[in-house]
Amino acid sequence: MMHSRLSLLALVATGACFSTHLYAEIDISGYGSIVAGRTLGTVEDPLNPGQERDEILTADFYDVGQYDNDFSFKPESVFGLQFRADLGESLAVTAQLVAKGTDDFEPEFDWFYLTYQATDDLTLMAGRRNIPMYYFSEFSEIGYAYPWVRPPSNLYWWQVTQFDGFHAMYSFQTGDYSNVITVFYGNETSNDNKELKYYNRLYGGNAQAVNEFWKNIIGFNWNFSGDFFDLRFVYFENDRERTTINADGSATDSDPFTQKFIGLGGTADLAQFTILFDMNLVEYTDAVGTEYPTYLVSVVYNIDEFHPYISYSKADHERTKGLARTENLEEHYMLSYGIRYDFHSNAALKVQYDKFVDQGDKATGWAYHGDSETITIGVDFTF
């Protein structure tokens, strides 16, 4: 069943699966995706009325991986290696080296952390990891771990995804059900943020850089699983600050605020069907009461090594306070059809069609994505 595969492959994110023994007490594991695609037409440029441009699908918001009418491997292809060293006495260190097409495949260590098994039930971690925001956050780049080519990008769209911090994980049983509660705390400084700089240029800016600061990230996850389901609830909050480095070198600070993130996601195996979902709400304590409600629902039909699927994801941007109260801002949905073929024990071929519909308010410039239709094909693998 797909749920069993997902539960097993989540362990890849900690280097516990698909590992090859190199020498005493050091393991290496890896994953990768070779993905190519293109959009299928042209659209009126939302920010330049009367002008045509290629359709554009932002398949990866964080790294600004985008498809247009030119067939390309760069937006989503990725290769990763994880190294895990057992230091003895329940202490281990893990590092992850990743090369992405969006960075011209220049390798970079994006994870590095210590793990201490304090007891059979309590695990402590310190270092750099993904913020556990969404159901698939901690292995979102490991394409083999989920049915689609990617988790829907209009759900996984935040400009910060990692942080330096601490995790404490406690596991326990309640009857026939498994529980894992994780408490985490940390901070993230994202200098010259790629996504925010892209948006600055998109709207005619010429900033040298946009720096994003997420401070005092504190929250918890609760994973609850049984024979046929796995659920995860998450809550965290943090202080958010932003500084724009202007073309002349001067700095402009945005008004700081606190953001809150609430989410519920999971999978369920029902006969030959697997259902996956993720629902999230982000709230700002800014002057206009900004909110971002998003959700995903997907159904997979499992026929031996073939897994056809359909998914629907929706994202909104609303303001809930005072005269600024409105729902006519950024809004879009993505409808995806595809099939996964497990042609090898450690590799899968995927073909996917995405229809992105931009429902943002055109009059105020919030329909900047534009509609698009995209076809992608790729191979995901682990070792």
Side-chain angles (χ1 to χ4, degrees):
M1 287 296 186
M2 182 63 68
H3 167 61
S4 298
R5 180 181 297 110
L6 291 169
S7 298
L8 175 64
L9 289 168
L11 296 176
V12 177
T14 61
C17 268
F18 309 106
S19 51
T20 302
H21 201 61
L22 289 183
Y23 60 91
E25 302 183 6
I26 296 183
D27 294 320
I28 183 171
S29 60
Y31 64 90
S33 298
I34 300 174
V35 184
R38 57 161 295 184
T39 55
L40 303 179
T42 59
V43 67
E44 183 180 30
D45 189 339
L47 300 182
N48 296 285
Q51 299 183 26
E52 292 283 314
R53 65 157 172 82
D54 286 357
E55 293 177 343
I56 295 174
L57 175 70
T58 303
D60 183 339
F61 276 76
Y62 176 75
D63 286 304
V64 196
Q66 296 180 318
Y67 292 108
D68 56 22
N69 286 179
D70 293 325
F71 194 76
S72 177
F73 284 87
K74 295 186 70 173
E76 295 186 279
S77 293
V78 61
F79 184 80
L81 289 174
Q82 286 192 347
F83 305 89
R84 186 179 188 275
D86 187 346
L87 305 180
E89 299 182 2
S90 302
L91 187 65
V93 60
T94 301
Q96 178 171 282
L97 185 67
V98 176
K100 299 179 180 179
T102 51
D103 295 324
D104 295 322
F105 296 102
E106 294 182 4
E108 178 182 359
F109 280 102
D110 64 352
W111 281 24
F112 37 87
Y113 57 92
L114 285 169
T115 303
Y116 179 63
Q117 194 69 44
T119 69
D120 290 342
D121 302 321
L122 178 62
T123 304
L124 306 177
M125 293 184 289
R128 184 166 184 80
R129 289 172 54 89
N130 277 17
I131 303 173
M133 303 167 70
Y134 300 102
Y135 184 76
F136 293 96
S137 283
E138 293 180 87
F139 49 102
S140 60
E141 292 180 348
I142 305 174
Y144 191 79
Y146 41 77
W148 328 285
V149 170
R150 74 194 72 86
S153 58
N154 67 333
L155 188 75
Y156 287 60
W157 61 344
W158 289 105
Q159 61 273 8
V160 168
T161 62
Q162 298 170 324
F163 76 135
D164 300 325
F166 304 91
H167 293 70
M169 303 171 60
Y170 182 71
S171 304
F172 61 96
Q173 291 288 127
T174 52
D176 295 330
Y177 304 110
S178 298
N179 298 264
V180 180
I181 293 180
T182 303
V183 178
F184 54 92
Y185 174 83
N187 296 278
E188 174 65 357
T189 296
S190 178
N191 289 320
D192 198 11
N193 186 276
K194 186 184 295 186
E195 181 180 349
L196 293 175
K197 188 174 182 178
Y198 165 77
Y199 288 132
N200 178 271
R201 299 293 173 84
L202 183 69
Y203 282 96
N206 59 354
Q208 294 184 25
V210 183
N211 303 327
E212 183 88 348
F213 310 98
W214 285 23
K215 299 180 178 180
N216 299 315
I217 304 167
I218 186 168
F220 74 96
N221 288 337
W222 176 24
N223 273 81
F224 181 67
S225 59
D227 289 339
F228 69 93
F229 70 91
D230 183 71
L231 300 175
R232 195 193 74 158
F233 175 79
V234 58
Y235 173 86
F236 74 87
E237 60 182 58
N238 66 277
D239 301 323
R240 209 208 73 177
E241 300 175 8
R242 181 177 298 171
T243 299
T244 299
I245 309 302
N246 303 307
D248 61 3
S250 63
T252 302
D253 293 328
S254 300
D255 291 335
F257 55 81
T258 297
Q259 65 181 15
K260 299 178 181 180
F261 187 102
I262 304 170
L264 175 66
T267 65
D269 285 319
L270 305 174
Q272 287 184 282
F273 291 92
T274 299
I275 299 173
L276 308 95
F277 72 96
D278 217 344
M279 301 180 294
N280 303 278
L281 175 65
V282 178
E283 298 178 327
Y284 290 175
T285 61
D286 59 0
V288 295
T290 300
E291 292 186 357
Y292 294 94
T294 61
Y295 67 88
L296 153 74
V297 62
S298 182
V299 178
V300 184
Y301 184 54
N302 304 300
I303 318 168
D304 298 323
E305 67 270 24
F306 293 95
H307 309 279
Y309 58 83
I310 182 172
S311 71
Y312 178 86
S313 57
K314 183 73 160 49
D316 292 312
H317 174 186
E318 303 171 358
R319 292 174 179 168
T320 62
K321 291 183 181 179
L323 297 177
R325 185 182 181 93
T326 180
E327 296 182 0
N328 295 321
L329 297 169
E330 183 178 6
E331 182 177 353
H332 37 77
Y333 74 81
M334 183 181 292
L335 181 63
S336 303
Y337 306 90
I339 187 168
R340 169 184 173 139
Y341 170 41
D342 293 327
F343 68 93
H344 186 276
S345 59
N346 284 350
L349 171 69
K350 300 175 184 177
V351 180
Q352 182 167 311
Y353 165 82
D354 296 290
K355 181 178 179 63
F356 184 97
V357 177
D358 193 338
Q359 301 171 302
D361 186 53
K362 293 182 179 180
T364 54
W366 286 103
Y368 59 87
H369 295 287
D371 296 347
S372 65
E373 295 181 81
T374 308
I375 187 74
T376 47
I377 182 169
V379 173
D380 300 317
F381 55 88
T382 61
F383 58 89

